[in-house]
Amino acid sequence: MQIHIPVLKDEVLYFFKDIKGTYLDATLGYAGHSNAILENNQFVNLIACDQDDEAIEYSKQKLSKFTNRVNIIKTNYEFILNKINKNEIRAVLADIGVSSLQLDKDDRGFSFDSLELDMRMNKDNNLDAKYIVNNYSKDKLSEIFMNYAELPYKLASDIATNIINNRPINSCKELSAVIGNSKLNNRKVSLKTLVFQAIRIEVNDELGVLTRFLEEIEKLNNCLVCFITFHSLEDKIVKDTFKRWSKNCICDENTIRCVCGNNHSKGVIITKKPITPTVDEIKNNSRASCAKLRVFYINNER
């Protein structure tokens, strides 16, 4: 079983090397990034959160050597800023991905060969993949596959129909067999990967959580914000949010001249283009291949 390997670790360390004070790791996971940050920068303290009990217990042990520099809170990251003193946060790191340990463990019900069908990042949540697969209507399943896997209507509808015709489906292994091993002509990943990803996003409301978290981050001051995404829809949300934050003028596009004051920027985009893994990193960790890092500096007190 492979322990989670932190993606773009060197790049994250570069951006955190001069941070002083408290930073937030919004998606602690198995503490790969934060262990490296705390080792590399003695001037930072960590507030971290995760909703996975197993990940929290593992990370508490891993970070125990940093004694009073670490505070770990169990919560979904969309709520963390309401549980801490926002004013002390000088940087935010959010790695919006599923850890290798979650993917690889059969009892978590994420992987193609798992005998479970779960996909919950927080096992206390009521909604799981088994319920979605066995209870959602054809229209609802099709909508998920179109919106989250970006599949064309006909294909999304055919997959939904096939799932319904093979109910009950009680494991990821059974679901994998129903979907099959085909690939879309214009996509690098398998159809099965896209469908599983779409169901996981629905189970955990991943895009909604990300959007709401960004709305909370917008209120911070003098804070570096680093997001690592693995899905094109997540990356688009982050990209569009950073672009909106950077705008001085918020007038309607059809306005002939600016009437808003032209001073509404919340800071600056640090990475004009997303940072992606090197060839060597992808060779050592294939799950890094889709990762994109975007960085913004929020300064609401200009």
Side-chain angles (χ1 to χ4, degrees):
M1 181 170 60
Q2 180 188 37
I3 294 297
H4 182 64
I5 301 172
V7 172
L8 294 165
K9 183 182 75 173
D10 291 342
E11 291 80 358
V12 168
L13 288 178
Y14 170 79
F15 287 110
F16 275 76
K17 64 183 174 60
D18 296 322
I19 299 296
K20 293 182 180 179
T22 302
Y23 79 95
L24 169 65
D25 187 338
T27 52
L28 178 64
Y30 292 84
H33 286 112
S34 276
N35 183 67
I37 290 170
L38 290 165
E39 284 183 341
N40 191 62
N41 185 345
Q42 62 179 315
F43 300 108
V44 293
N45 295 320
L46 165 67
I47 294 177
C49 69
D50 206 285
Q51 55 185 339
D52 187 317
D53 288 318
E54 193 171 10
I56 288 173
E57 288 307 309
Y58 179 92
S59 294
K60 281 181 177 178
Q61 293 298 316
K62 185 168 187 173
L63 301 177
S64 61
K65 58 190 173 183
F66 299 109
T67 58
N68 61 349
R69 295 175 63 194
V70 175
N71 178 19
I72 301 175
I73 300 169
K74 182 184 178 181
T75 185
N76 188 305
Y77 70 92
E78 71 169 301
F79 304 119
I80 184 61
L81 288 173
N82 295 319
K83 298 176 182 292
I84 62 176
N85 181 1
K86 301 182 187 71
N87 295 327
E88 69 179 25
I89 302 301
R90 299 280 71 86
V92 174
L93 173 64
D95 177 354
I96 315 297
V98 183
S99 74
S100 296
L101 192 56
Q102 286 175 326
L103 288 172
D104 293 339
K105 289 196 71 174
D106 183 80
D107 65 347
R108 298 308 302 266
F110 283 95
S111 66
F112 298 148
D113 296 323
S114 174
L115 299 179
E116 303 293 332
L117 182 55
D118 194 319
M119 302 191 195
R120 288 175 296 174
M121 294 180 184
N122 180 356
K123 299 202 79 172
D124 293 334
N125 287 347
N126 293 323
L127 182 64
D128 62 14
K130 182 179 285 188
Y131 182 86
I132 290 170
V133 167
N134 289 291
N135 292 278
Y136 274 24
S137 67
K138 175 186 172 183
D139 287 346
K140 185 63 174 175
L141 286 173
S142 299
E143 182 182 348
I144 290 170
F145 302 149
M146 287 188 292
N147 290 342
Y148 301 154
E150 300 177 278
L151 299 181
Y153 171 77
K154 178 66 166 59
L155 181 56
S157 179
D158 287 347
I159 294 170
T161 299
N162 202 23
I163 287 173
I164 290 171
N165 289 341
N166 282 277
R167 287 172 173 170
I169 298 172
N170 295 307
S171 69
C172 287
K173 193 168 186 177
E174 291 176 25
L175 181 60
S176 295
V178 169
I179 299 167
N181 295 312
S182 61
K183 283 190 177 183
L184 293 177
N185 292 333
N186 61 335
R187 305 284 284 273
K188 293 181 181 179
V189 295
S190 69
L191 185 60
K192 183 163 58 178
T193 297
L194 295 170
V195 171
F196 267 62
Q197 192 174 58
I199 294 171
R200 192 200 76 213
I201 289 172
E202 173 71 9
V203 168
N204 299 288
D205 187 23
E206 293 175 33
L207 301 185
V209 169
L210 173 59
T211 300
R212 292 188 290 273
F213 182 57
L214 284 162
E215 289 172 355
E216 290 299 313
I217 285 181
E218 187 173 344
K219 304 168 188 175
L220 298 177
N221 292 313
N222 301 319
C223 182
L224 188 76
V225 177
C226 301
F227 272 82
I228 299 173
T229 61
F230 293 81
H231 189 284
S232 60
L233 296 177
E234 292 169 343
D235 180 60
K236 185 178 188 305
I237 290 172
V238 175
K239 176 185 177 181
D240 289 350
T241 300
F242 285 4
K243 184 177 179 180
R244 175 172 57 81
W245 287 353
S246 68
K247 284 186 176 181
N248 274 311
C249 178
I250 58 173
C251 293
D252 186 276
E253 291 181 359
N254 296 318
T255 302
I256 297 175
R257 65 182 181 85
C258 176
V259 294
C260 71
N262 200 35
N263 63 347
H264 293 275
S265 169
K266 297 184 178 299
V268 294
I269 297 173
I270 304 299
T271 51
K272 300 303 180 184
K273 293 183 178 180
I275 297 173
T276 56
T278 63
V279 172
D280 286 342
E281 180 173 3
I282 294 172
K283 186 184 299 184
N284 293 324
N285 179 16
S286 61
R287 286 173 177 167
S289 61
C290 297
K292 292 182 178 180
L293 169 64
R294 294 185 185 272
V295 184
F296 190 95
Y297 185 76
I298 297 178
N299 181 12
N300 279 320
E301 294 181 343
R302 298 176 313 283

